[in-house]
Amino acid sequence: MGGILGETLNRENLIPQIRNGGALCRLADCIQASVDDFKNSNEDNDDLPSSAPQGCNLTCGVRSMEARQNVTKFLDWVRKLRVPESSIFLPDDLLKLKGKMNVVNTLLAVARRAKDCGMAADIDAPPKIANAFIGLEEKFGKKFDHTAKAFGTQKSELKSVTTTLMSGSAWKIVQQKIDAILQLPGKPSYEIFRV
């Protein structure tokens, strides 16, 4: 995205840079040229967007009504681009920072659709995605290890879990007491649990 817009974007500044929706509208404008070329060279693509979002305020504040309008216009354009609804973030995910990962997922889905329309997009880079999840873990304090490893190239053996109880564990003792209750009908349970 940063390469398309001519800006340096990374995990620290991505959300702040796009939060007012202005950069998203600029991104849509850049992708629209590839969409137009794709529509002209292929049939049955009349339902793709005919233009990028119009009338966006690129310099508005992040909590302004113009920011909400920018984000809404971008999301309408994304729907016309045929990005699956399940991959599209809600305006408050970005504006109120309620779902930053949803925003990232939408941008990845837009990149895939742009690539389908003939735009050069570097989205097939598992190490970059894995590093992004690790970076998000550091930044937001959440564990994304399993996701990062799923996208990474290193394959590790799954951790094996034993279901047998150790002879001296508390659970083993409880299990033995319960077995004793079930095997000795008529005997009060309080006598069995007495040490």
Side-chain angles (χ1 to χ4, degrees):
M1 180 174 165
I4 294 170
L5 298 176
E7 296 179 15
T8 303
L9 297 176
N10 55 40
R11 65 178 178 250
E12 284 83 24
N13 70 0
L14 173 66
I15 298 297
Q17 291 282 50
I18 66 172
R19 192 162 171 207
N20 74 352
L24 295 175
C25 291
R26 285 183 36 227
L27 176 68
D29 193 44
C30 293
I31 294 173
Q32 186 62 45
S34 294
V35 171
D36 291 340
D37 292 343
F38 183 75
K39 283 174 62 172
N40 292 335
S41 63
N42 295 298
E43 297 176 7
D44 295 331
N45 290 308
D46 292 332
D47 56 337
L48 287 172
S50 57
S51 65
Q54 301 296 313
C56 294
N57 184 343
L58 303 180
T59 60
C60 63
V62 296
R63 294 190 177 165
S64 66
M65 194 60 176
E66 289 87 3
R68 183 167 291 278
Q69 290 171 347
N70 288 348
V71 172
T72 302
K73 288 176 185 179
F74 173 75
L75 294 176
D76 290 342
W77 179 84
V78 166
R79 285 181 181 90
K80 291 177 187 172
L81 193 61
R82 293 191 224 153
V83 171
E85 192 66 36
S86 61
S87 297
I88 299 175
F89 69 88
L90 298 173
D92 285 346
D93 289 342
L94 179 60
L95 296 169
K96 294 184 179 179
L97 304 177
K98 289 186 174 183
K100 296 174 187 176
M101 286 304 300
N102 296 339
V103 175
V104 172
N105 287 335
T106 300
L107 293 175
L108 287 171
V110 167
R112 279 190 224 86
R113 288 297 297 144
K115 188 173 182 179
D116 292 344
C117 291
M119 184 171 209
D122 185 20
I123 61 167
D124 299 325
K128 288 183 181 179
I129 294 172
N131 290 337
F133 279 108
I134 291 169
L136 288 170
E137 175 184 322
E138 293 167 1
K139 185 161 176 90
F140 300 118
K142 293 183 180 179
K143 293 289 180 189
F144 294 105
D145 252 357
H146 60 285
T147 312
K149 287 179 183 169
F151 284 106
T153 55
Q154 298 174 349
K155 297 192 181 202
S156 60
E157 188 176 317
L158 294 176
K159 182 180 175 183
S160 62
V161 178
T162 60
T163 56
T164 58
L165 299 173
M166 305 299 278
S167 62
S169 73
W171 288 110
K172 183 66 175 180
I173 294 168
V174 170
Q175 183 183 16
Q176 290 170 345
K177 298 288 185 179
I178 291 172
D179 289 345
I181 291 171
L182 296 174
Q183 292 173 0
L184 300 171
K187 191 169 185 180
S189 62
Y190 63 85
E191 289 181 20
I192 296 170
F193 282 100
R194 207 179 280 164
V195 180

